[in-house]
Amino acid sequence: MSKIGNKITQLRKEKGWSQSELAKQIKASREAIGKYERDEAIPSVETAKNIADVFDVSLDYLVGDVLKPSFDKRMVKRLQDMELLSERDKDHLFALLDAFLRDAKTKKAYAP
């Protein structure tokens, strides 16, 4: 299980940000970021959401047991938009998606 502090540290380093830069982005103190990263303190829900927003990951990824942010905000937005489609349009979209995924898996299986 990855603690929230580890995820914050990892995401911050991937962006090349210092603790001070992250603090500035979410309007918090550098000391607070340090405590979050060392798991000495847990951010409030609002602060955790702000952290997730600046890293473009879901809050679920940040605080959950998910190993990677497989559903980033763009994916979640698309899934939400798909709910607005008619059943017929969803069927067409799923058929297209299924064909694309099948082809991608086949290519990967036979790649050198």
Side-chain angles (χ1 to χ4, degrees):
M1 180 168 103
S2 181
K3 294 183 177 181
I4 189 170
N6 293 337
K7 289 183 180 177
I8 293 170
T9 302
Q10 176 189 355
L11 291 165
R12 178 179 59 76
K13 288 181 177 181
E14 286 174 5
K15 288 269 193 185
W17 290 351
S18 66
Q19 288 181 343
S20 296
E21 288 170 305
L22 174 56
K24 183 178 178 182
Q25 289 288 324
I26 66 164
K27 296 178 177 65
S29 69
R30 189 212 47 83
E31 292 78 12
I33 301 300
K35 286 181 180 182
Y36 302 152
E37 289 186 359
R38 292 187 303 272
D39 288 312
E40 293 174 359
I42 298 171
S44 68
V45 172
E46 182 179 337
T47 300
K49 183 180 179 327
N50 291 340
I51 293 169
D53 286 346
V54 299
F55 291 128
D56 200 27
V57 298
S58 69
L59 185 57
D60 183 48
Y61 166 74
L62 189 63
V63 300
D65 291 336
V66 179
L67 296 177
K68 62 181 185 173
S70 55
F71 290 116
D72 63 12
K73 288 187 173 193
R74 294 179 312 151
M75 179 67 74
V76 171
K77 174 71 172 120
R78 285 183 174 103
L79 290 171
Q80 290 170 337
D81 288 346
M82 287 171 53
E83 287 297 314
L84 303 174
L85 298 175
S86 69
E87 286 303 312
R88 183 171 183 248
D89 287 344
K90 284 182 193 177
D91 288 342
H92 288 292
L93 182 59
F94 290 146
L96 180 64
L97 185 59
D98 289 343
F100 182 83
L101 293 172
R102 181 196 64 234
D103 291 349
K105 287 177 186 178
T106 301
K107 287 177 186 175
K108 185 175 183 178
Y110 291 103

